[in-house]
Amino acid sequence: MAVVASAPGKVLITGGYLILERPNAGLVLSTNARFYTIVKPLHNEIQPDSWAWAWADVRLTSPQLGREGHYKLALKNLTVQSVSSSSEGGNPFVEYAVQYSVAAAYATLDNNKKEVLHKLLLQGLDITILGCNDFYSYRNEIERRGLPLTPESLASIPPFASITFNTDDGNGDCKPEVAKTGLGSSAAMTTAVVGALLHYLGVIKLSSSKDQQDRKDYTDIDLLHKIAQTAHCIAQGKVGSGFDVSSAVYGSQRYVRFSPEVISSVQVAAQALPVPELISDILNGNWDHERTEFSLPPLMTLLLGEPGTGGSSTPSMVGAVKKWQKSDPQKSLDTWRRLSEANSQLEIQLNFLSKLAKEQWDAYKSVIDSCSKLRSEKWIEQASEPNKEAVIKALLGAKEVMLGIRYRMRLMGEAAGVPIEPESQTKLLDATLNLEGVLLAGVPGAGGFDAVFAVTLGDSSSNVTKTWSSLNVLALLVKEDPCGVSLESADPRTNEITSAVSSIHIE
């Protein structure tokens, strides 16, 4: 009776900072790094005392962190109360995901299904959360083992490896020893929990990754998106752009954020209104985000590298940029306008390449194959016929536009006093762009020291991983996977097929 759902991490390749404000768009790629949630009944039968008191037991297990939390969910007002004896703090992302998912079930199911829902909840909820290793940094572990900084070394670490903890001397709180890689772990986790719960409770029917290409009706997924966005924003205490949750739900896309009021009004009301009333505001709110399908053109590979030069704090960098906007509105407006235009141009070139691949596959494939073995200054020599020339011009156009985006982002960083593309990253990215078959290179999202990305042609990615390794940069195992939230057929640790994956759906 278990349900397993997964949701992907993300890489924002354009739209850093701009994506915080409508109507600026960002291109976000979902990845093969996924968070998994397994939901099943906690008890084999309804607990007699829980029927009388109308509450559900909830157990939340995170094997990688060695943590287990216990909660009581009151089924009348849907409040969640921790009853864990352990000293560690709870997980607000999961707590709000549970609360809002159950509230959505009561709000959307008709009366005859509500009784079945009620009985299902009285059996309790047993929730297990697992995150792919790609969400966490294992550089230190690889170096400790004396292994080279290569993807092969990363692959030798067992899947869903334990995350060890250090005790912070300041206040005794435990903090993860393993740094994150910036793939949006909280958004992927929240989305996986909401997706698994809504499917388990009969509110929506999730599809598997292989069925997503044929999806015509987005009603279920749109509902999931509203709940996941709200739970994520309320848990982190601020209304972000939401691109990370949107890509976890829908997959790779061009994204324009929703108006913040759709959630900030709920945030204010949450202090006074009971959850069942809040949920109708969420479901009926004016969700005005824009999402257009987008993914990398064929025969292109996304690579992520971890320089290991220390982390950057995205909130403080965003704060500094906002401060600069206020202090120099004219210059910042001009910079953002030019950046927005450049972001649009990159999108146009990449979409044009996808179109050429569809319409002139042989010429497209031939160009990608030959250019993958050459540095970009030699690409134009491959234009032996008009069809090939069109592909090469689009490739060079995309590369040129990306250089312009990086230039503007550096200017913005200098003006705001934050290292959006620090000098060490500039040197690394320039060296990467000089390699055979490299189309794009940049710092993802808000930039900083955390990560770099590259987009390579054909089979040229191995050149990049070798060069990065020689420059003390660890190439991650992450690739683009355009699929969003998915129903899985098995526990990812065992690949054991889950029994009756969809029969639990309330009919």
Side-chain angles (χ1 to χ4, degrees), residues 42-73:
L42 185 57
H43 310 296
N44 290 330
E45 50 196 43
I46 294 169
Q47 301 300 98
D49 53 346
S50 64
W51 185 273
W53 295 104
W55 45 254
D57 293 322
V58 180
R59 179 170 70 190
L60 170 63
T61 310
S62 180
Q64 289 159 286
L65 302 181
R67 283 185 172 178
E68 188 175 288
H70 294 265
Y71 302 88
K72 296 281 188 190
L73 172 67

Side-chain angles (χ1 to χ4, degrees), residues 193-504:
V193 173
V194 172
L197 279 169
L198 291 178
H199 185 94
Y200 177 81
L201 298 174
V203 183
I204 65 171
K205 284 191 176 180
L206 283 179
S207 55
S208 65
S209 55
K210 67 176 186 296
D211 295 332
Q212 289 189 18
Q213 289 174 329
D214 305 322
R215 182 188 287 147
K216 303 256 186 314
D217 184 0
Y218 281 87
T219 310
D220 280 359
I221 297 299
D222 290 343
L223 188 151
L224 190 166
H225 176 251
K226 292 173 185 178
I227 299 298
Q229 281 286 16
T230 308
H232 190 253
C233 285
I234 302 286
Q236 65 183 1
K238 65 183 175 71
V239 183
S241 69
F243 78 87
D244 45 4
V245 172
S246 188
S247 64
V249 174
Y250 299 104
S252 296
Q253 62 191 272
R254 174 192 189 269
Y255 176 80
V256 177
R257 72 159 304 153
F258 52 84
S259 298
E261 299 76 41
V262 74
I263 290 180
S264 56
S265 58
V266 172
Q267 228 175 353
V268 173
Q271 312 302 320
L273 283 181
V275 174
E277 287 181 47
L278 276 181
I279 214 74
S280 64
D281 290 348
I282 293 164
L283 296 176
N284 300 318
N286 179 26
W287 289 86
D288 53 358
H289 58 285
E290 296 168 31
R291 177 185 57 82
T292 315
E293 278 190 26
F294 174 85
S295 59
L296 288 178
L299 307 180
M300 294 189 188
T301 302
L302 171 71
L303 283 178
L304 271 184
E306 188 189 348
T309 43
S312 311
S313 168
T314 298
S316 62
M317 288 173 72
V318 169
V321 169
K322 285 184 171 176
K323 193 176 172 185
W324 163 68
Q325 283 181 287
K326 285 179 183 170
S327 67
D328 196 347
Q330 199 58 49
K331 188 179 176 186
S332 63
L333 267 174
D334 183 59
T335 302
W336 278 40
R337 180 181 58 78
R338 289 169 188 262
L339 259 174
S340 183
E341 287 168 1
N343 289 344
S344 296
Q345 281 301 313
L346 182 61
E347 181 190 343
I348 288 165
Q349 297 286 6
L350 292 173
N351 282 335
F352 184 52
L353 283 161
S354 291
K355 182 171 178 278
L356 289 173
K358 208 171 188 179
E359 294 171 358
Q360 300 161 21
W361 175 252
D362 290 343
Y364 177 86
K365 185 179 184 302
S366 171
V367 166
I368 298 295
D369 287 347
S370 55
C371 290
S372 70
K373 302 174 182 73
L374 300 168
R375 288 165 60 166
S376 59
E377 61 264 28
K378 301 274 190 188
W379 291 355
I380 198 66
E381 296 169 12
Q382 307 305 304
S384 55
E385 57 185 75
N387 286 354
K388 290 184 178 180
E389 187 178 2
V391 177
I392 289 166
K393 282 188 171 173
L395 289 172
L396 291 171
K399 187 158 193 166
E400 192 62 34
V401 172
M402 189 69 205
L403 288 171
I405 291 170
R406 283 180 52 206
Y407 171 69
R408 299 275 167 211
M409 292 291 273
R410 280 198 303 273
L411 286 183
M412 180 164 67
E414 286 163 16
V418 287
I420 292 176
E421 188 185 294
E423 194 179 339
S424 60
Q425 298 285 59
T426 299
K427 286 178 180 172
L428 172 60
L429 295 172
D430 290 347
T432 302
L433 281 171
N434 275 327
L435 298 170
E436 294 87 352
V438 177
L439 178 66
L440 308 175
V443 285
F449 295 94
D450 291 350
V452 289
F453 76 85
V455 174
T456 62
L457 306 178
D459 297 325
S460 61
S461 57
S462 58
N463 301 335
V464 177
T465 57
K466 283 174 192 160
T467 302
W468 279 358
S469 181
S470 72
L471 296 170
N472 203 35
V473 176
L474 175 60
L476 304 182
L477 297 167
V478 175
K479 298 282 180 278
E480 185 197 10
D481 177 353
C483 284
V485 64
S486 301
L487 185 68
E488 302 288 340
S489 61
D491 182 325
R493 293 166 297 182
T494 59
N495 280 337
E496 187 180 305
I497 302 299
T498 54
S499 57
V501 152
S502 33
S503 66
I504 201 163

